[in-house]
Amino acid sequence: MIPMLDLIHSAYRSLGRKRGRTALTILGIAIGVASVILIGNISQCGTNALTNELESLGLGGLTISCNSEANVTLDEEELHLVKECNQVEQATPILMQSTSVSVRNEDTSALLWGIDTSANQIVSIQILYGRMFSNKEVSTAANVCLVDEAFSQKAYHRSNIIGKHISIQCGGSLEDFEVVGVIKTGSGLLQNMLGNYIPTFVYVPYTTVQTALGRSNFDQIAVKIDSDSSVESAGKSITAILNQNNGTADAFVSNNLAKQKDGLTSILDIVTLVLSAVGAISLLVASLSIMTVMLVSVSERTREIGIKKAIGARQVNIMMEFLLEAILISAIGCAIGIMVGYLVSFAGASLVGMSLGVRWDVLLLAILFSLCTGTIFGVYPAYKASKLRPVDALRME
C-alpha cells in the first residue's frame, strides 16, 4: 500500500504538469465559492441595515391605532388608560404629517413627527447635538424641533446646526421652528441609498402639531412593553381595555411592529436563498469542469497508468491518486474563493461604514459543497483510470 503522503505528492506533481488547465479549473471553483461568500455577506449587511433602520423608527415595539371604520379617537384619556396597563412600561402619543421643510430658500420633503419628551425611550432617537425638547415646551406647544444629521449636512454642510431656524409647512401655513437637537437615525444606509425617496424626519412636540391642525387627538400611541411580557398578549389586553372604556368592539387595533420587522427580514432571507442557489449552480458548473479535466488527464496518462500497474500499483492506489487530484483542485479553488470573497466583503462593508462578521454557516456550506462536488465529480475519472488493464494501457502511445 502506497503511503498517503506519497499519493498526495504524486497528485500535486501531476497537477503541475498542466498548469494552465489546472489554473483555469481552480479559477472556476474560486469564482463559485467567492460568489456564495459574497451573497451571504451582502445578506448579512442588508439584514443588519434593515434591522437598525426599522428599530430606529420604533418598529421594535407596539402601536395602538383606531379602526378606520370606527367612530372613535385616541386622546389623553386613552393615553392614560394605556399607561395604566400592567404590561406597559412606557407609552407616548404620535402624530404624523407629510410636509415640506424650507431652509435657505430650498424646500425638502419631510415627515413631521409629533411626539412628547418620553418618545426617545420608545423610538430610538440618538441625539448627537443639542437636547430633547422639554416638558414646558410640550405644554406650551413651542415651535422647537429635532432634525436628522443628513438634513443638517444637506442644508448647512455640517452636522451641528443647533440654534438655526427652519420653516415647516404645518396646518396650511409656514411656521418658523428653532432647531434644538440633531439626531442620528439608524445606520443611515437606507437614507444614503434611497435619499430621494425617503423623506427627512423632523420631530416636534405633539401639542404643536395639534395646535397647528386644530386637533386634540393622536394618530397612534407607541407603546413599550415590559420585557417580561408578551407583545401579542399585551396588545390584546390594551385594545380590550380601550374597547371596554368606549363601549365598542374591535374599534382599536394593536400592531406588533416587531413581527412586521421579522416579516421583512424573512423576505430578505428568501431573496438571499434564491441568490445563494444561483451561486451554488455556478459552483456546480465549475465542479463539472473537474470531471472534464480529470477525464482528459486519464486519457493523456493511460501509458503511465499501465506502467504503474505493471510494477505493482494496485487499483486502489491509482484511484486514490486521481481522486486526490480532484480534491486538491477543489480545496485550492475553495481556499482562494474564501479569501477573495471575504476580502471583497470586508472592503465593501468598510466602504459603506458597516461592521461585518464571519458567517460560519455560509463558510462551512461553501467548503462542504465545493469539496463534495469535487470528490463526486472526481470519482468516475478515478474509477475509470483504476480499471485500465496494464496490457491495454501499455499499448497506448
Side-chain angles (χ1 to χ4, degrees):
M1 187 74 176
I2 301 175
M4 181 60 69
L5 285 176
D6 290 342
L7 288 173
I8 294 174
H9 178 71
S10 178
Y12 180 77
R13 188 173 55 191
S14 297
L15 290 176
R17 293 175 187 172
K18 301 289 183 180
R19 289 187 178 88
R21 187 169 64 196
T22 302
L24 288 174
T25 309
I26 289 173
L27 181 62
I29 299 293
I31 291 172
V33 172
S35 65
V36 173
I37 297 292
L38 281 170
I39 289 168
N41 288 333
I42 290 171
S43 165
Q44 181 185 357
C45 285
T47 302
N48 292 343
L50 183 64
T51 300
N52 291 338
E53 290 291 342
L54 294 181
E55 286 183 349
S56 72
L57 302 181
L59 299 189
L62 188 73
T63 62
I64 305 298
S65 57
C66 298
N67 192 322
S68 58
E69 299 176 357
N71 189 25
V72 293
T73 59
L74 292 170
D75 53 28
E76 294 292 343
E77 183 181 358
E78 277 69 35
L79 179 62
H80 177 73
L81 288 172
V82 171
K83 287 183 176 180
E84 290 297 310
C85 292
N86 294 329
Q87 297 166 302
V88 174
E89 186 174 321
Q90 188 60 258
T92 183
I94 291 179
L95 289 93
M96 289 182 291
Q97 183 187 11
S98 179
T99 184
S100 64
V101 177
S102 178
V103 58
R104 306 180 79 177
N105 298 322
E106 288 190 13
D107 292 335
T108 303
S109 60
L111 186 62
L112 189 65
W113 291 68
I115 57 175
D116 71 1
T117 55
S118 64
N120 60 345
Q121 299 178 32
I122 304 173
V123 181
S124 298
I125 299 177
Q126 181 184 348
I127 299 179
L128 298 177
Y129 306 99
R131 59 176 175 83
M132 187 72 177
F133 31 76
S134 64
N135 289 323
K136 181 179 180 181
E137 288 168 332
V138 173
S139 62
T140 59
N143 282 14
V144 292
C145 67
L146 309 176
V147 298
D148 61 35
E149 188 180 15
F151 174 80
S152 303
Q153 289 286 353
K154 181 180 179 182
Y156 288 94
H157 306 291
R158 66 175 188 269
S159 297
N160 190 350
I161 60 169
I162 302 303
K164 296 293 183 181
H165 287 256
I166 63 175
S167 299
I168 303 176
Q169 191 76 26
C170 190
S173 61
L174 204 61
E175 298 282 344
D176 182 72
F177 283 77
E178 180 186 355
V179 177
V180 296
V182 177
I183 65 171
K184 182 177 181 63
T185 305
S187 67
L189 182 63
L190 294 182
Q191 184 73 37
N192 293 334
M193 294 173 63
L194 303 174
N196 294 329
Y197 305 99
I198 297 179
T200 297
F201 288 170
V202 179
Y203 298 87
V204 302
Y206 76 94
T207 50
T208 304
V209 181
Q210 286 180 325
T211 302
L213 300 178
R215 294 172 52 182
S216 60
N217 61 319
F218 321 127
D219 294 322
Q220 296 177 342
I221 296 177
V223 182
K224 183 179 182 181
I225 303 300
D226 187 276
S227 57
D228 297 328
S229 303
S230 166
V231 175
E232 286 290 329
S233 63
K236 292 178 181 178
S237 299
I238 293 170
T239 53
I241 291 171
L242 294 178
N243 280 315
Q244 182 180 4
N245 182 68
N246 286 269
T248 57
D250 301 325
F252 296 92
V253 180
S254 67
N255 297 301
N256 184 350
L257 299 176
K259 183 177 288 186
Q260 294 182 22
K261 180 186 70 177
D262 293 339
L264 290 172
T265 53
S266 296
I267 293 172
L268 188 60
D269 289 339
I270 292 171
V271 173
T272 303
L273 183 62
V274 173
L275 293 176
S276 298
V278 174
I281 290 171
S282 70
L283 184 55
L284 182 64
V285 171
S287 299
L288 280 170
S289 65
I290 294 177
M291 179 181 284
T292 305
V293 168
M294 295 310 299
L295 285 172
V296 172
S297 181
V298 170
S299 177
E300 291 176 346
R301 294 158 58 190
T302 302
R303 187 174 178 81
E304 176 191 329
I305 294 168
I307 294 172
K308 287 182 177 180
K309 297 192 79 172
I311 61 176
R314 299 164 57 187
Q315 285 189 11
V316 65
N317 300 137
I318 301 297
M319 185 170 182
M320 283 299 298
E321 182 179 345
F322 279 88
L323 191 57
L324 283 171
E325 287 183 29
I327 293 173
L328 274 174
I329 291 175
S330 293
I332 295 170
C334 182
I336 295 173
I338 289 170
M339 286 189 292
V340 172
Y342 273 104
L343 280 173
V344 174
S345 297
F346 282 113
S350 62
L351 193 63
V352 296
M354 294 195 66
S355 59
L356 179 66
V358 177
R359 283 198 61 174
W360 294 106
D361 55 340
V362 175
L363 180 60
L364 291 175
L365 181 64
I367 293 172
L368 289 174
F369 191 81
S370 60
L371 292 180
C372 286
T373 51
T375 304
I376 291 169
F377 291 120
V379 166
Y380 175 68
Y383 177 76
K384 184 179 179 181
S386 69
K387 296 301 289 183
L388 286 173
R389 295 172 59 192
V391 175
D392 297 331
L394 288 170
R395 287 199 190 118
M396 299 294 294
E397 294 295 334

